[in-house]
Amino acid sequence: MGNNDLQRHIDTPYRWGFVTEIEQETIPMGLDEGVIRRLSARKDEPDFMLDWRLEAYRHWLTMQEPDWATVSYPAIDYQAIHYFSAPKAGNQPRSLAEVDPKLLATYEKLGIPLNEREALAGVAVDAVFDSVSVATTFKDKLEALGIIFCPFSEAVRRHPDLVRLYLGSVVPHTDNFFAALNAAVFSDGTFVYVPKGVHCPMELSTYFRINARDTGQFERTLIIADEGSYVSYLEGCTAPQRDENQLHAAVVELIALKDARIKYATVQNWYPGDAEGRGGIYNFVTKRGDCRGDHSHISWTQVETGSAITWKYPSCILRGDNSVGEFYSVALTNHHQQADTGTKMIHIGRNSRSTIVSKGISAGRGRNAYRGLVKMLKGAEGARNHSQCDSLLMGPDCAAHTFPYIEVKNPTATVEHEATTSRIGDDQLFYLRSRGLTEEDAVNLIVNGFCKEVFKELPMEFAVEAQKLLAVSLEGAVG
Amino acid sequence: MNASLYTDALSHIAAPPWLTEARHEALDRFLAAGLPDSRQEAWKYTSLDRLGQVTLRPPEAESSQAVCPDVTAYPGHVLLFQDGQLACHGTYLSNQFAGTLRHWGDTRSVHEHLGRIAGSSALADLNLALWQDGARVYVPAGERLGMPIFAVYGAATAEAMLHPRTLAVVESGAEAVLVEHYLGQTDQTYWQNAVSEIVLAEGARLTHIVVVEEGPAASHTSLTALRLGRNSEYRALHIGLGGLLTRRDLLAALDGADAGIRIDAFDLADGRRHTDLHLRVSHRAPRSQSRITYRGLADDRARAIFDGHVVVEHGAHQTDARQDCKGLLLSRQAEIDAMPRLEIYADDVKCSHGASVGQPDPDALFYLRSRGLDAAAARRLLLEGFANEALGLLDDAHLRDWLMPRLLAALSRRSGEEVRS
Amino acid sequence: MLQIRNLHVSVAGKPILKGIDLDVGPGEVHAIMGPNGSGKSTLAQVLAGRSGYEVSQGSVRYLDRDLFLLPPEARARAGIFLAFQYPMEIPGVANAQFLRTALNSQHRARGEAEVDAFDFLEHVKGKLALLEMDDGFLYRSLNEGFSGGEKKRNEILQMLVLEPRLAILDETDSGLDIDALQVVARGVNAMRSPDRAIVLVTHYQRLLEHIVPDRVHVLAAGRIVRSGDRDLAMELEDKGYGWLNAGADFEEDRP
Ligand SMILES: Nc1ncnc2c1ncn2[C@@H]1O[C@H](COP(=O)(O)OP(=O)(O)OP(=O)(O)O)[C@@H](O)[C@H]1O
Ligand SMILES: [Mg+2]
C-alpha cells in the first residue's frame, strides 16, 4: 500500500471510553497484608482463602517482574493502585431487579443488555464491574441442569469444596509474578462447573468493565468441565478512556476431565491508549487449560484489539491420552500498542494433538510478537502439533516478531511450524478498488480474509463483533 | 570461576605491544561477566558448567607437534595450527593471501578489523585476550582465488585451553573460499574457543566452510562474526560432527544494500553429544537476501539445538529472508530443540520460516523398501538425503571429495552401521 | 505365480477388502477396475507389504511362498514391483543414487554381480530414452517437485530398471497426457514376457487399448464382483459401474 495513503490518519475515538458516575467503595491505595485481610473479610471468605492469598502475597514479595517479553513500559508502582473498588450498592444483589439502574444502563451502552428478555439469544452473562460481579443472567435456568455459573466470590461461599479442590491447580500461585499478585488480591470473576455428561445449552459469558480510576482489575475465572461435558465460554472487556495506564492482571484456569470439551473465547477490547501512546490498559494475563482426562479438548480463541500492552499466553497442558489443545489468535496492534502473546502446548499424553493458528496484524508503531512453546515430553507417543504464525504488516514503522520454541523429547512425536509475513500490496488494493470497493473496505476485506481461520472458531455473533472491532481498530492505519 | 587460569594464560602470551592493552581490557571484561550461564536467554539450553569442572591449562609455549596431519589431504592452501601454534614449520602450503595472524598482525587490515567485528561478549572477549595465532586471509580488490584456503586448528594435548582466531578480509570484487577445520587429535578433554571475523567489501564473495570434528571429550565454543558490504555475497556451510559439547554462534550483519547470505548447516548429534547452533542474521539495508537451511540429527542420548534468528531492521526494505529448519530424532533418549525466530521492523519485506521435528518418514521408508532396500539401508539413504539438503554448496568436486567421506564416516558411526560411499 | 484366496483386510478397524480371490499366472496381464474407494490401492499396498493394514483372513501365495511372511524389501527382491498411485517425494536423495542402490541391493540379494556406476548409467539412459525422459531427472531429488505425470513416468522408469517378475501398476495412467500414455504403454509392453505378469489398476479403458489385458476384474466395495475379458472393460466404459448392481450385493455395504 502506498505509505502516504497508509499513514493518512483518521482518528476514531474509542467508543467504549465513557465513565459511569457511580458511588464506589474503595480500599485505599497500596498493598500489604492488611489490605488482603480487609479484602478477604469484605467478601466473607472462609479461612482457607485468606491463607491461600497470604501465602501467594508472601511469595510475590520474593519475585521479580518479568522483563523478557519484547514489551517496554515504565515501572509499575504497585503501591499506587487500588486493589478493591466496587459500586456502593449494599451487598450482592440477589436478582436483576436489585441491580443499580446506572449499572444496567452502563452495560446496555456497551451493547450487553443484562435484562434477560433483551439478552442475546442463548448467551448467559456474568457482568463484572471493577472488582465485583454486579449481575449474572440465566443463573436459575442453568442451575436446573446442575450447571454452576456464578461470581467467584459467591462460589467461594456456596461451593467451597469445589473451589478448594480446583483453585490454583492449573495456575499455582507460584507460577509467575502476575499470577502470584492475582492470587493475593483477586477480587472477583466467574466460576463455572458443568456436571458429568451435561452439554451446556447456552454460551456462558463474562463481561469485564474497568470503571474506577487508579484501580487494578484482578479477576479470576475457574471453569471445570466434568467427564463428558461441554461448555462454550466467552469473555469481553472494555475500560474508560484515561491518560493514566491501568493494570489488569487476570488468571483463568480451565480443567477438562475425561471426554470433556471447553471452548474459551476472548474478545479483548480494553482501552488501548490514544494515538500518541498515552494511557491504556496493561493487560498481563495468565490463562491455562488442563486437559486432565483422556480425549479431553480445550480450545482458546482470542481476538486481541485493545490494551496498551498485552502479555498473555493461553496454554494447554495435554495430560490425557488423545487430548486436544487448540489456540486461535488474532492480535492487532496499532498506534503505540504492544502485544506479546502466544501459547504453550505441553504434550504429556499419548497421541495428544495441538493446533496453533496465530495471526498478528501490526499497523502504525504497533509491536506484535508471537511467543510460543511446543513441548513434546518423553511419554507423548505419537503426539502431533502444527503451528501457523502469520504476520500482516501495515506501515514502515510497525514491528512483528515470531519466537517459537520447539522442544521434542519423543521420536514418534511430530512438530511442524510455519511462519510467514505479508503486507497489503498495492496491486491487491488496486484490484479491489477497481471493482468498486473503497480503500477501507478493501483493507478490511483483506484483513478479514487474513483472520478467517480464527474468526470461524468464534460463535457467530461474536465473529461479526470481532470483524467490526478490527475495522474500527484499524481506522487511522489506512487512508 | 577459576580466574587464575585466565590471568596465567594471559601472562604467558608474548603479544605484540600494540595489542597488550586491548588484551588486558578484554580479560577484565570477561572476568567481570564470567562464563555465560543458563539464566541468560541465549544460553537457556546449554550450560558451560562443564568447563568449570574439568582441568584446563593454557597451551605449552612449545607444543610437542608430534602429530602432523597430512596436509596434502587438503585440496588447497593449508595453514595448520597445532595446539594454538603454527605447526610443522615449513610443511604448510600457503600463498601471499593467506598467512598467520601473528606474522601479519601489524598490518592495516588487522588493525582496522581485529576485535571490531566480533564485538564484546564473554567468550569473544576471552578469545581476544588469549588468542595466540590463527589464519589471516586478505584478498585484495578484484582478486579471485581459485584454490580454497584451509585453516586447520588441531588439538592434540589433553586439558589444553585454546583460543584460535581467524580474520578474513575480502576486498571489493574479490572472491575466495575459506575452510576452517577444527580437528581433535586426542580423546582427552580440551576446550577450543574460536573467534572468526569476516569482512566482505562491496561486491566481494566468500564461500566459507566450517567443519567441527573435535575429539569425543572436547568442548568447542565459537563465534563467527561477519559484515557484508553492498552487493557482497557470503555462502556458508557449517558442519558439526564431533565434540562432546559444541556451541557455535554466527552473527551476520548485512550492512550494505543488495547483500546476500546463505547459511547451510548440518549437525550430527550422537552418543552423549550436545550441539547448539545459534545464527543471527541482521538485515540492515534495502534489498538484501538471506537463506538459512538447517538439518539436525539427534541419536542415542544426544541433544541438538538450533536457534535461527533473522532480524529485519527499520528501513531494510524489500528484505527477502527464508529459513528452513528440520530435525530428525533417531532415538528415545535424544532431544531436539528448535527456535526459528523472526524480528521485523519494516513492512515491505518477504520473510518466512518453516521448522519441523520428527522421525524419518515411515511412508518414505516403505517406498524405499518396496524397491528392495532393507530397512537399515533405506534408513541410511533417508538420512543421507536429509543431510544432502544442507550440502548444496558442495558444488566443487575436490571439496566434496574431501568432505563427504568424513561426513559419511560420522553418519556410519551411529549404531555402528556402515555407510555406503 | 500369484494366488490370492479369500483375502480380508481392514484399516483402522474398518473392513476394506472383504474376500478377494485372484489368480495371476506368468505372462498374463490383468486389469483391475472399480469405483473410487473400492479398495484397489489397498489391495496393491497389501501385496507390496505396507504396514497399517490388518489381514484378518485369507492368504496370498507368490511363487509358492507365503507372501505375508516377507518384509517389503524381500518381496521387491523376489520380483514384486508396485508403481504407487501417489509416489513419495524424498528430498535430498538423487534419483540415480536411489535407483542404483535399489538395483544393487536386489542384485546382491539374488547373488548377482553389482552394477558399477558407469554400466548403471548406460543401462538407465537407454530406459530414459524409451520413456522420452530427460537425463536431468536422474540428478534431481527423488520425485521432489516432479509434475504428476513425471512422477508416473519415473515409476515406470524404476520398473524398467528393476525388471520385476510381477508388476502392479496403481493408476499409472492417471494424470498422463495422451502422448505420455503411449510412452508409458510402450514401456509396459517392453516388459511383457512369458515369465512376467502385470496387474494394471485403472479407471480408463483407454490404457487397455495400448496394453491389452488377458483378464479384467471389477472390484467394488471390497470384492471382485465381475471378471471377464477385455470386452468387460469396454462395457464398463459404456455403462459405468451402475449396471453391475443388479445381482451384485455390494451396494448395501456402501456407507
Ligand atoms: N488409513 C486409512 N484410514 C481409514 N480409511 C482408509 C485408510 N486408508 C484407506 N482407507 C479407506 O479405504 C477405502 C479404500 O481405499 P483405496 O485407496 O484402496 O481405494 P481405491 O479403490 O484405490 O480408490 P481410487 O480409485 O480413488 O484410487 C477408502 O474408502 C478409503 O477411504
Ligand atoms: Mg487407488
Side-chain angles (χ1 to χ4, degrees):
Chain A
M1 160 172 358
N3 283 339
N4 289 335
D5 287 345
L6 187 65
Q7 286 310 299
R8 220 179 336 127
H9 187 87
I10 305 168
D11 223 346
T12 6
Y14 178 72
R15 273 201 275 139
W16 306 266
F18 63 89
V19 179
T20 306
E21 292 304 334
I22 192 164
E23 224 187 318
Q24 307 247 127
E25 179 198 341
T26 304
I27 296 182
M29 273 185 188
L31 184 56
D32 55 28
E33 293 201 2
V35 168
I36 294 170
R37 284 176 200 281
R38 271 185 71 182
L39 194 144
S40 183
R42 170 79 178 65
K43 299 177 138 322
D44 271 340
E45 288 181 349
D47 287 346
F48 82 86
M49 278 303 304
L50 178 62
D51 294 345
W52 193 72
R53 288 174 181 280
L54 290 173
E55 203 185 317
Y57 174 67
R58 288 169 198 145
H59 187 79
W60 178 72
L61 290 175
T62 68
M63 295 175 97
Q64 295 267 322
E65 200 168 330
D67 62 353
W68 45 266
T70 54
V71 295
S72 50
Y73 54 91
I76 297 171
D77 179 356
Y78 291 94
Q79 296 305 336
I81 294 173
H82 291 288
Y83 288 86
F84 184 82
S85 178
K88 236 188 204 141
N91 270 321
Q92 292 270 324
R94 253 167 298 278
S95 76
L96 284 173
E98 291 176 25
V99 176
D100 186 326
K102 271 191 186 160
L103 289 173
L104 291 180
T106 300
Y107 283 89
E108 191 83 43
K109 203 166 161 189
L110 293 169
I112 317 288
L114 296 179
N115 181 327
E116 289 186 5
R117 269 163 306 157
E118 292 166 24
L120 285 170
V123 183
V125 180
D126 183 21
V128 176
F129 192 85
D130 290 328
S131 304
V132 295
S133 167
V134 292
T136 309
T137 62
F138 296 110
K139 242 161 77 177
D140 304 341
K141 191 172 167 206
L142 293 166
E143 246 162 49
L145 292 166
I147 297 170
I148 304 170
F149 174 53
C150 67
F152 208 105
S153 40
E154 186 183 324
V156 167
R157 288 190 306 268
R158 290 186 48 200
H159 310 284
D161 295 344
L162 277 177
V163 172
R164 206 169 179 170
L165 187 60
Y166 290 109
L167 177 68
S169 73
V170 186
V171 181
H173 62 71
T174 50
D175 193 79
N176 68 67
F177 185 82
F178 296 110
L181 178 62
N182 174 288
V185 304
F186 82 91
S187 43
D188 217 331
T190 304
F191 179 88
V192 177
Y193 172 81
V194 188
K196 263 187 198 170
V198 173
H199 183 108
C200 181
M202 50 194 345
E203 306 278 350
L204 304 185
S205 109
T206 304
Y207 196 89
F208 294 100
R209 173 75 179 168
I210 296 179
N211 188 62
R213 184 180 290 274
D214 300 325
T215 300
Q217 193 176 50
F218 304 93
E219 87 275 0
R220 196 155 184 121
T221 299
L222 176 55
I223 300 179
I224 303 138
D226 212 327
E227 292 184 5
S229 68
Y230 167 88
V231 60
S232 168
Y233 176 90
L234 296 152
E235 67 174 6
C237 2
T238 53
Q241 192 162 342
R242 298 187 197 283
D243 283 349
E244 306 82 40
N245 298 106
Q246 275 177 288
L247 178 62
H248 171 252
V251 170
V252 175
E253 297 179 277
L254 310 183
I255 295 139
L257 301 181
K258 186 164 170 289
D259 297 318
R261 173 156 194 193
I262 302 175
K263 288 183 76 159
Y264 192 107
T266 306
V267 177
Q268 185 266 106
N269 186 28
W270 293 118
Y271 178 54
D274 66 14
E276 272 67 54
R278 265 188 312 260
I281 300 290
Y282 291 164
N283 188 34
F284 298 154
V285 171
T286 306
K287 293 184 165 178
R288 195 172 302 150
D290 190 350
C291 281
R292 234 168 251 190
D294 293 350
H295 297 279
S296 55
H297 186 152
I298 290 180
S299 58
W300 297 101
T301 305
Q302 59 174 24
V303 177
E304 304 280 321
T305 59
S307 297
I309 301 177
T310 296
W311 180 96
K312 73 184 257 203
Y313 314 94
S315 303
C316 295
I317 302 169
L318 300 164
R319 227 181 277 282
D321 290 350
N322 301 298
S323 56
V324 179
E326 291 169 320
F327 174 75
Y328 298 95
S329 169
V330 167
L332 179 148
T333 51
N334 193 7
H335 303 310
H336 291 262
Q337 282 176 276
Q338 306 174 44
D340 195 294
T341 184
T343 183
K344 294 180 191 172
M345 294 288 174
I346 313 294
H347 289 255
I348 301 170
R350 300 164 67 90
N351 295 318
S352 49
R353 276 174 293 137
S354 63
T355 303
I356 298 172
V357 178
S358 160
K359 305 280 179 176
I361 303 164
S362 305
R365 298 182 166 274
R367 277 199 247 162
N368 207 321
Y370 167 82
R371 190 185 300 277
L373 168 67
V374 175
K375 193 169 190 152
M376 298 289 181
L377 293 172
K378 277 226 163 18
E381 203 69 14
R384 292 183 163 269
N385 160 270
H386 184 84
S387 308
Q388 177 75 46
C389 298
D390 299 322
S391 306
L392 188 64
L393 306 164
M394 302 173 76
D397 300 318
C398 70
H401 312 320
T402 317
F403 302 132
Y405 289 69
I406 298 169
E407 300 181 10
V408 188
K409 298 177 204 286
N410 182 306
T412 64
T414 314
V415 179
E416 286 170 345
H417 175 97
E418 278 172 72
T420 65
T421 59
S422 55
R423 69 201 282 254
I424 299 184
D426 283 334
D427 38 354
Q428 278 177 314
L429 273 188
F430 171 71
Y431 180 79
L432 293 173
R433 293 172 74 185
S434 76
R435 296 288 178 271
L437 274 75
T438 64
E439 185 163 275
E440 275 201 7
D441 286 347
V443 167
N444 286 333
L445 195 73
I446 294 169
V447 168
N448 282 323
F450 177 74
C451 301
K452 204 169 82 200
E453 274 172 277
V454 175
F455 287 164
K456 77 173 179 9
E457 297 298 320
L458 287 172
M460 197 36 189
E461 314 87 70
F462 287 81
V464 173
E465 190 59 28
Q467 284 194 16
K468 283 195 215 142
L469 255 179
L470 277 194
V472 170
S473 306
L474 276 175
E475 278 176 41
V478 284
Chain B
M1 192 172 59
N2 177 10
S4 63
L5 165 66
Y6 307 107
T7 43
D8 276 3
L10 182 52
S11 68
H12 283 103
I13 291 173
W18 67 275
L19 260 176
T20 311
E21 201 185 325
R23 284 187 189 270
H24 281 276
E25 284 171 10
L27 188 66
D28 289 344
R29 283 196 304 271
F30 168 75
L31 292 174
L35 286 168
D37 75 62
S38 49
R39 269 169 312 200
Q40 289 164 255
E41 180 65 12
W43 290 82
K44 185 174 153 83
Y45 295 106
T46 295
S47 155
L48 293 182
D49 290 352
R50 190 187 142 70
L51 294 176
Q53 288 152 9
V54 298
T55 313
L56 290 169
R57 291 178 280 128
E60 306 291 322
E62 280 305 316
S63 80
S64 74
Q65 315 236 340
V67 244
C68 252
D70 176 15
V71 285
T72 59
Y74 292 97
H77 307 294
V78 185
L79 285 159
L80 176 64
F81 300 89
Q82 193 78 39
D83 291 332
Q85 297 177 48
L86 191 64
C88 312
H89 295 279
T91 64
Y92 74 96
L93 318 164
S94 184
N95 72 357
Q96 71 216 64
F97 306 119
T100 67
L101 264 181
R102 190 182 273 231
H103 188 259
W104 291 90
D106 212 358
T107 52
R108 190 183 54 83
S109 68
V110 178
H111 277 278
E112 207 174 308
H113 298 299
L114 189 86
R116 310 240 160 129
I117 314 298
S120 176
S121 63
L123 294 174
D125 286 336
L126 185 62
N127 180 292
L128 187 61
L130 300 180
W131 67 271
Q132 289 195 298
D133 209 349
R136 177 259 191 197
V137 175
Y138 181 81
V139 192
E143 199 71 50
R144 296 184 176 186
L145 302 195
M147 279 230 258
I149 294 163
F150 284 81
V152 182
Y153 298 103
T157 307
E159 299 176 353
M161 173 179 73
L162 304 167
H163 300 280
R165 191 160 190 112
T166 307
L167 175 68
V169 179
V170 186
E171 294 288 13
S172 65
E175 281 183 35
V177 178
L178 170 65
V179 184
E180 288 173 38
H181 188 199
Y182 295 89
L183 180 63
Q185 297 143 303
T186 168
D187 289 349
Q188 305 292 307
T189 318
Y190 65 90
W191 174 29
Q192 294 227 64
N193 173 44
V195 170
S196 302
E197 292 175 297
I198 291 170
V199 184
L200 302 191
E202 180 170 347
R205 292 163 63 105
L206 179 72
T207 299
H208 187 202
I209 297 177
V210 179
V211 180
V212 176
E213 268 188 306
E214 301 284 15
S219 300
H220 172 100
T221 51
S222 67
L223 169 66
T224 302
L226 45 128
R227 282 257 148 88
L228 275 78
R230 170 180 285 272
N231 223 351
S232 64
E233 192 185 333
Y234 173 79
R235 311 191 308 162
L237 170 59
H238 285 253
I239 294 192
L241 303 175
L244 185 59
L245 180 152
T246 67
R247 163 65 189 246
R248 292 162 294 150
D249 281 86
L250 186 146
L251 298 179
L254 283 72
D255 291 332
D258 299 293
I261 183 166
R262 166 173 169 181
I263 304 167
D264 293 352
F266 173 72
D267 265 335
L268 169 65
D270 58 352
R272 291 179 169 271
R273 302 186 55 216
H274 177 106
T275 68
D276 187 357
L277 176 65
H278 281 232
L279 309 178
R280 187 186 166 102
V281 172
S282 303
H283 293 265
R284 295 184 167 163
R287 297 181 306 279
S288 56
Q289 197 194 58
S290 65
R291 294 284 178 272
I292 295 173
T293 305
Y294 172 80
R295 294 292 177 269
L297 282 178
D299 200 355
D300 308 322
R301 297 178 161 273
R303 186 166 181 191
I305 296 139
F306 172 73
D307 184 325
H309 191 163
V310 173
V311 183
V312 180
E313 293 189 3
H314 192 250
H317 313 299
Q318 290 172 42
T319 288
D320 176 357
R322 252 192 268 157
Q323 201 182 144
D324 159 27
C325 142
K326 285 191 192 144
L328 278 188
L329 274 174
L330 303 176
S331 120
R332 304 220 140 246
Q333 270 74 43
E335 173 168 351
I336 292 181
D337 306 307
M339 286 131 293
R341 305 165 198 253
L342 271 173
E343 193 174 335
I344 301 171
Y345 300 89
D347 69 333
D348 183 8
V349 300
K350 221 162 72 190
C351 300
S352 68
H353 62 228
S356 69
V357 178
Q359 59 184 338
D361 177 4
D363 288 338
L365 279 173
F366 169 68
Y367 188 74
L368 295 175
R369 291 176 71 190
S370 80
R371 298 295 180 259
L373 277 69
D374 62 41
R379 209 166 125 101
R380 217 150 47 217
L381 196 63
L382 278 189
L383 297 189
E384 278 180 50
F386 180 76
N388 265 330
E389 289 188 277
L391 301 178
L393 278 179
L394 281 181
D395 40 14
D396 176 283
H398 297 293
L399 272 178
R400 214 183 157 83
D401 290 347
W402 172 71
L403 187 57
M404 283 315 279
R406 299 183 165 271
L407 196 108
L408 293 173
L411 271 178
S412 71
R413 181 172 73 199
R414 358 175 342 271
S415 350
E417 285 169 10
E418 179 204 30
V419 175
R420 206 185 35 72
S421 61
Chain C
M1 180 180 256
L2 180 73
Q3 290 95 30
I4 304 176
R5 292 286 172 272
N6 190 32
L7 181 64
H8 288 252
V9 172
S10 42
V11 179
K14 175 184 162 197
I16 309 282
L17 300 183
K18 302 165 187 167
I20 301 278
D21 288 288
L22 184 66
D23 278 277
V24 179
E28 294 176 0
V29 175
H30 289 239
I32 297 181
M33 306 182 79
N36 293 133
S38 55
K40 303 181 297 295
S41 295
T42 303
L43 177 62
Q45 302 272 351
V46 165
L47 294 178
R50 188 189 202 116
S51 59
Y53 295 93
E54 305 124 48
V55 175
S56 48
Q57 274 186 62
S59 67
V60 177
R61 297 194 69 78
Y62 168 72
L63 297 178
D64 288 325
R65 291 153 83 178
D66 179 351
L67 195 63
F68 294 141
L69 295 177
L70 305 178
E73 61 271 25
R75 301 184 195 195
R77 292 164 185 183
I80 292 182
F81 178 90
L82 169 64
F84 285 54
Q85 183 175 5
Y86 305 108
M88 290 296 305
E89 297 192 1
I90 303 186
V93 175
N95 214 6
Q97 179 196 10
F98 153 71
L99 260 179
R100 198 174 136 228
T101 311
L103 184 66
N104 278 335
S105 61
Q106 298 205 13
H107 278 209
R108 225 176 305 144
R110 294 197 287 260
E112 295 166 18
E114 294 192 20
V115 185
D116 69 23
F118 187 79
D119 291 344
F120 171 75
L121 280 179
E122 282 300 293
H123 180 66
V124 174
K125 283 187 177 166
K127 314 284 187 194
L128 276 169
L130 184 68
L131 294 174
E132 296 175 12
M133 286 170 79
D134 191 276
D135 285 6
F137 282 108
L138 287 179
Y139 306 102
R140 286 172 57 182
S141 284
L142 183 46
N143 290 332
E144 197 184 36
F146 285 25
S147 76
E150 287 166 354
K151 283 182 186 166
K152 297 297 173 77
R153 269 192 222 209
N154 200 35
E155 293 289 288
I156 297 303
L157 174 70
Q158 291 175 28
M159 179 183 78
L160 294 181
V161 170
L162 298 174
E163 300 177 323
R165 301 279 300 272
L166 170 64
I168 304 159
L169 311 185
D170 190 359
E171 294 197 26
T172 303
D173 52 336
S174 301
L176 292 179
D177 63 42
I178 312 234
D179 294 341
L181 187 75
Q182 292 193 4
V183 169
V184 165
R186 198 189 310 147
V188 176
N189 284 326
M191 283 275 305
R192 288 185 81 157
S193 83
D195 57 356
R196 275 206 185 107
I198 297 172
V199 176
L200 300 169
V201 174
T202 179
H203 284 292
Y204 306 105
Q205 119 88 9
R206 209 177 50 177
L207 178 71
L208 305 181
E209 285 169 10
H210 299 287
I211 310 169
V212 180
D214 301 299
R215 299 286 291 161
V216 174
H217 312 275
V218 179
L219 186 64
R223 293 194 190 119
I224 291 182
V225 294
R226 184 71 65 102
S227 296
D229 58 15
R230 61 170 307 209
D231 296 342
L232 176 59
M234 286 196 278
E235 230 170 322
L236 286 170
E237 182 101 339
D238 270 5
K239 304 184 188 164
Y241 295 111
W243 66 281
L244 288 170
N245 282 0
D249 61 347
F250 65 87
E251 191 63 12
E252 72 210 35
D253 291 338
R254 301 200 56 89

